[in-house]
Amino acid sequence: MAQFTRGFGSRRRDADPDLPPGQYLTTDFPVLSAGPTPRIPLTEWSFSIRTETGETARWSWDEFTALPSEEVSTDIHCVTRWSKLGTSWRGVALDTLFEDVETSFDFVMAHSYGGYTTNVPLEDLLDGKAWVAYEFDGEPLDPEHGGPARLLVPHLYFWKSAKWVRGLVMQQHDDPGFWEQNGYHLRGDPWLEERYW
Amino acid sequence: MRTTGWLPARIAAVRPTTSHARVLTLDVAGWPGNDPGQHLDIRLTAEDGYQAERSYSIASSGPGERVELAVDTVPDGEVSPYLVQAAEVGDMLEVKGPLGAYFVWHETDTDPVQLIAGGSGIVPLLAMARAHDRSASTAPFRLLYSVRTPGDALYRDEILGLSQRSLDLTWAYTREAPEGWAEPVGRLTADRVAAATWPPSQRPLTFICGPTRFVEAAADAMVAAGHDPARVRTERFGG
């Protein structure tokens, strides 16, 4: 039973069925990250996927942006409670990136320039559920928002959508990444409010 | 140590700290204590069941069931105007926490600490400066606090007090400075940040909190000055 708060509610926001529980709507694009914004020259950028055998698929920026890309329109939800509806992205589907990757491991650790990590089950990345995005609203992704490229896993809280992503490493167990070691839930489904430990 | 669910909290005291921000003291039965720099979630419930939740930094730390917050009014906000203008002593709300294990300072850490605050971003940094002041820590602490005008500084008197004892303090004013102020007025430049903070050779642990543009600029300035990005921790206001 919730505790009533005297006098609260006069400025309430409209309920929106697209908002997960505990979220509120924002129309700007807040920036949240744990440290300074890394700035990675495209000539030095690469993205890789490494499996348990050590085999590594690697793409340079030119190779990566030559891959088939998709336009994605989706809602995003930050664990700090803002949600932004109908955002537009362009990126490469993880299905495309994993086409020639052989692995028996079920979990992924995403690694970013700057040292950030986040863990994601492989099944949350495949079947049209996730992308490595490099455009937002038709423009190159701003460094503040993770450019040149970030992971986009919109059905999970946005800390899973690792900014400045540089590669994925397959892992046998769902070992926790950066925020998962610092208080956040191992998976992070916004509709289940998987916010914290 | 933390609790898992929502805890009822009673507002025990309110006091203004600027014309648009207020310090709220909450009594939270079962609060497990918190580290300096952590935050909590607040849930408000209207009488018809409508709810809103937000995160706020905690200004206090340590054991005990008293928790201090400072809330700045967000124009067009839904929760902060209530907390700053309407909430009174005796009113009830709910909290969850403490939350966050990264943007915290531990008094066993002896490295120099650089705090850089913009506006109400001072709150978690004040928790660190207070904890440092009352501990036996010999870690040197510096604070660079940027505000629009002198009247916009949260906890101004207390910060001045800390600066007499345990805190090396630099003010930066972006709109209007006190009379006779010798420093430039305006947005922080990389040079001013470098001049008011520990040099990279001291290898400080840096905590930066404030609005996004401020945090971006300050963090970029620290990296440009030669600080290891891994030693620069940031916390930004969301939307």
Side-chain angles (χ1 to χ4, degrees):
Chain A
M1 185 62 196
Q3 183 74 52
F4 290 137
T5 303
R6 181 205 59 81
F8 169 68
S10 63
R11 291 191 189 217
R12 70 185 56 196
R13 304 277 169 86
D14 290 335
D16 189 320
D18 292 331
L19 282 182
Q23 297 294 110
Y24 67 93
L25 202 58
T26 185
T27 50
D28 57 5
F29 195 169
V31 174
L32 294 169
S33 34
T37 295
R39 287 178 171 77
I40 306 101
L42 297 181
T43 49
E44 287 171 26
W45 185 93
S46 76
F47 180 81
S48 63
I49 301 177
R50 192 171 86 219
T51 68
E52 58 269 36
T53 64
E55 227 168 297
T56 304
R58 188 182 303 277
W59 295 266
S60 68
W61 182 256
D62 289 344
E63 291 164 344
F64 187 80
T65 50
L67 294 171
S69 64
E70 297 174 10
E71 276 182 37
V72 185
S73 179
T74 186
D75 304 338
I76 56 177
H77 311 291
C78 179
V79 69
T80 65
R81 300 179 184 281
W82 58 263
S83 291
K84 191 171 172 60
L85 304 183
T87 58
S88 304
W89 307 80
R90 174 172 291 281
V92 178
L94 270 288
D95 298 303
T96 303
L97 297 169
F98 270 91
E99 256 169 30
D100 297 318
V101 173
E102 295 286 335
T103 180
S104 62
F105 283 0
D106 291 329
F107 302 98
V108 170
M109 186 69 84
H111 292 260
S112 295
Y113 292 94
Y116 181 76
T117 56
T118 190
N119 57 300
V120 195
L122 185 56
E123 64 174 18
D124 276 314
L125 296 180
L126 299 182
D127 297 325
K129 291 201 281 277
W131 297 264
V132 173
Y134 53 84
E135 280 182 19
F136 178 76
D137 259 353
E139 301 284 337
L141 187 58
D142 190 284
E144 274 181 29
H145 293 300
R150 74 181 297 162
L151 204 55
L152 178 65
V153 195
H155 70 289
L156 299 178
Y157 281 126
F158 221 42
W159 89 79
K160 293 291 183 181
S161 295
K163 294 176 178 179
W164 314 297
V165 70
R166 66 183 303 172
L168 309 178
V169 175
M170 299 307 305
Q171 53 180 8
Q172 190 162 16
H173 305 288
D174 201 9
D175 298 326
F178 175 81
W179 284 125
E180 294 82 8
Q181 293 171 38
N182 282 293
Y184 286 166
H185 193 276
L186 208 54
R187 178 150 179 273
D189 182 335
W191 295 94
L192 301 177
E193 281 207 81
E194 293 174 338
R195 294 178 192 278
Y196 314 120
W197 293 335
Chain B
M1 172 118 162
R2 63 180 295 257
T3 57
T4 52
W6 292 99
L7 297 171
R10 179 184 174 278
I11 297 178
V14 298
R15 66 178 174 84
T17 180
T18 71
S19 61
H20 44 80
R22 184 149 95 159
V23 175
L24 300 174
T25 308
L26 308 178
D27 280 335
V28 188
W31 182 256
N34 64 276
D35 291 328
Q38 288 192 291
H39 61 278
L40 54 63
D41 283 354
I42 279 186
R43 180 164 77 180
L44 304 181
T45 304
E47 291 206 11
D48 62 359
Y50 172 81
Q51 293 184 322
E53 301 173 8
R54 294 292 187 278
S55 293
Y56 286 99
S57 294
I58 306 170
S60 53
S61 65
E65 298 188 333
R66 283 233 139 157
V67 182
E68 183 181 311
L69 310 175
V71 180
D72 200 6
T73 307
V74 177
D76 307 323
E78 179 188 14
V79 170
S80 63
Y82 173 81
L83 293 173
V84 175
Q85 292 150 25
E88 293 169 12
V89 170
D91 287 347
M92 300 294 295
L93 45 85
E94 291 169 296
V95 300
K96 183 191 280 190
L99 303 167
Y102 180 67
F103 200 80
V104 297
W105 177 72
H106 300 284
E107 64 181 63
T108 50
D109 191 349
T110 54
D111 291 338
V113 169
Q114 180 66 55
L115 308 175
I116 305 179
S120 57
I122 189 67
V123 178
L125 307 185
L126 178 72
M128 297 176 193
R130 283 173 162 177
H132 169 251
D133 185 64
R134 66 170 183 263
S135 75
S137 167
T138 55
F141 260 54
R142 286 182 90 161
L143 168 65
L144 170 59
Y145 188 9
S146 172
V147 289
R148 285 151 52 118
T149 76
D152 288 310
L154 278 66
Y155 294 103
R156 183 177 185 84
D157 292 345
E158 183 175 344
I159 289 167
L160 288 170
L162 290 171
S163 75
Q164 305 294 314
R165 296 192 301 273
S166 57
L167 185 66
D168 183 313
L169 169 67
T170 304
W171 295 103
Y173 299 99
T174 60
R175 294 274 177 84
E176 183 189 319
E179 214 165 298
W181 189 252
E183 300 291 316
V185 173
R187 286 192 185 281
L188 275 179
T189 61
D191 285 349
R192 288 175 67 202
V193 171
T197 55
W198 296 114
S201 58
Q202 294 275 359
R203 290 199 41 82
L205 186 57
T206 298
F207 296 91
I208 307 175
C209 186
T212 290
R213 277 183 69 178
F214 174 84
V215 172
E216 281 293 304
D220 285 351
M222 293 299 280
V223 173
H227 292 271
D228 178 358
R231 304 271 297 161
V232 179
R233 301 185 180 188
T234 62
E235 192 161 271
R236 303 153 209 247
F237 302 160

